[in-house]
Amino acid sequence: MALVNGNYLKLPEYFFFNDLEGKINAYKLLHPEAKLIRMGRGDVSQAIPEEAAKAMADAAKEMGVLETFRGYGPETGYKFLKDKIIKFDYNAYGIQLEQDEVFVSDGSKSDVGNIGHIFGRDNIIAITDPVYPVYENAAIMGGRSGHLADDGLWSNIVYLGCTAENGFKPALPQDHVDIIYLCYPNNPTGIALTKAELKKWVDYALDNQAIIIFDGAYCAYIREKDIPHSIYEIKGAKKCAIEIRSYSKTGGFTGLRCSYTIVPHELMGSTETGEDVEVNKLWNRRATTYYNGTSYIVQRGAEALYSKKGREQCRALTDYYLENCKIIRDEMTACGFEVYGGVNAPHLWIKTPGGRSSWRFFQEMLYELGVVCTPGAGFGNLGEGYFRFTGFNQREAILEAMERIRNWKGY
Ligand code: MLT
C-alpha cells in the first residue's frame, strides 16, 4: 500500500476555518430562521471595483475571438501586471525591482504554503503566537514541526509571543532561527509595526542569515504615518526577505484569486555543503514546474486596480471596511470590551469578557446573538482569551451586530 505523508496525520482532520464553518452550519441547521451576522472569517462583502469588472469583461471577450484568444500565459505573470506592481506598489515607495523578481500567483494562502517547498526540512521556523494558522500548518505538513508537546506547542517551532503586555509586537527570538514568518499589518491582532520596529527584524535576519517571509496581505489598510507598506522599505531587506501580497483584501478578489510574491535576486540561501544559492531561481523553478499561470482574465482585472479610477475605487473599498472597524471598535469599547487593532488593518482583537475561553464565547455569541466571531484559540495558545472580529461585512449588518451586543445580557 502506498505510504501517505504522515505529517498530515499530526494535524486535526479539518483546517481551522473549515472546522469553524462546520460549527456555523450546525447552528444554521438548528436555527434556519436566524439572521446570522458573520464577522468571523475575513471574506469581503462589497462588489469588486467597477474598473476591474469592466477589464475582466473585456478580457473575457478577447478570449472568445480568434485574433485575441490566449492559451497558456507566462507562469509567473504577464508583463502588463508586473509593470503596474513594480510602479505602484514598489517604485512609489522608493523600491526598485526587476520583472523576474515578481511572481504573480493565485492567492497568498497558496504561496505561504508552497514557499516551504524550496527550503530544506531542517530549518528552524519561527512564527508569532497568535498567528495566521497556515504558517504553522505548513511547517507541520512539511515535516519541520517536531512533536507536539504537552503545552500544545510544536517542539521544533519557535513561538514569538504577542500579548497585551508587549502591545502584540513580539520580541526577537532568543535562539537562532532560519525562517521567520511575519504578517504586518497583522492577522489576527490588527496591529502594525513601525519602520523602526520592522528594522529590528531585518537586522536580526541579516545578522543571523535568516529569511523573513513577510505577509503583506493587509498593507492597503495602512493609514498611519511611519508604517512601512513593504518590508523592502527597510535597508538590507532584499538580502533577507520574501514578500507576499494579495488582491483579496485590496480589491475584493477573494473569489477571483490573484496575488504575487517578491523574491529578490539578492536573497541567498545555502546548500548543505555551504554554497550560496539564489532563492529566486528555486522559486522560479517551482513556479514554472507546478503552475501554469494565473488566469489572463483575472490578471487584467488586477491590472485595472492600478488605473487612476481603480486606485480610487480600492481606496473607497478599504475606507469602507476601516469605517466598519471604527464602528466596531467604538461600540465594543463602549460596551466595556478591551479592543485592539482595526486602525491599520481590517481585524479587531478583543478580550473575551470575564476570562471566558474563546471557544465558549464564540458559542455563546453564536447561539445567543446569531453573531459570528473567530475564537482566538484557533490562532494559537496565546490567542486563548481573545476573539477576532473583521470589518468586512456590510455596514447595516455591522450596525445590527453592535446593537445585538449592546442589548445582550450575556457578556
Ligand atoms: C482569515 O479570516 O484570516 C482569512 O480568511 C485569511 C485568508 O485570507 O485566508
Side-chain angles (χ1 to χ4, degrees), residues 15 17 40-43 108-109 132-134 187-188 217-218 246 248-249 254 257 347 374 379 388 390 392:
F15 179 54
F17 283 107
R41 187 151 188 211
D43 197 3
S108 56
K109 188 181 185 184
Y132 177 47
V134 180
N187 178 16
Y218 304 100
S246 165
S248 287
K249 315 293 157 68
T254 52
R257 313 309 305 146
H347 307 109
T374 309
F379 297 103
R388 190 192 73 176
T390 68
F392 288 122

Side-chain angles (χ1 to χ4, degrees), residues 129-130 160-170 189 340 349 382 386:
D129 180 8
L160 310 164
C162 301
T163 58
E165 288 68 40
N166 63 19
F168 302 101
K169 296 175 181 182
T189 63
Y340 303 90
W349 192 237
L382 293 178
Y386 288 88

Side-chain angles (χ1 to χ4, degrees), residues 234-249:
I234 314 294
K235 196 161 170 267
K238 278 193 186 174
K239 287 190 191 318
C240 67
I242 290 172
E243 179 161 287
I244 301 177
R245 295 267 193 102
S246 165
Y247 296 100
S248 287
K249 315 293 157 68

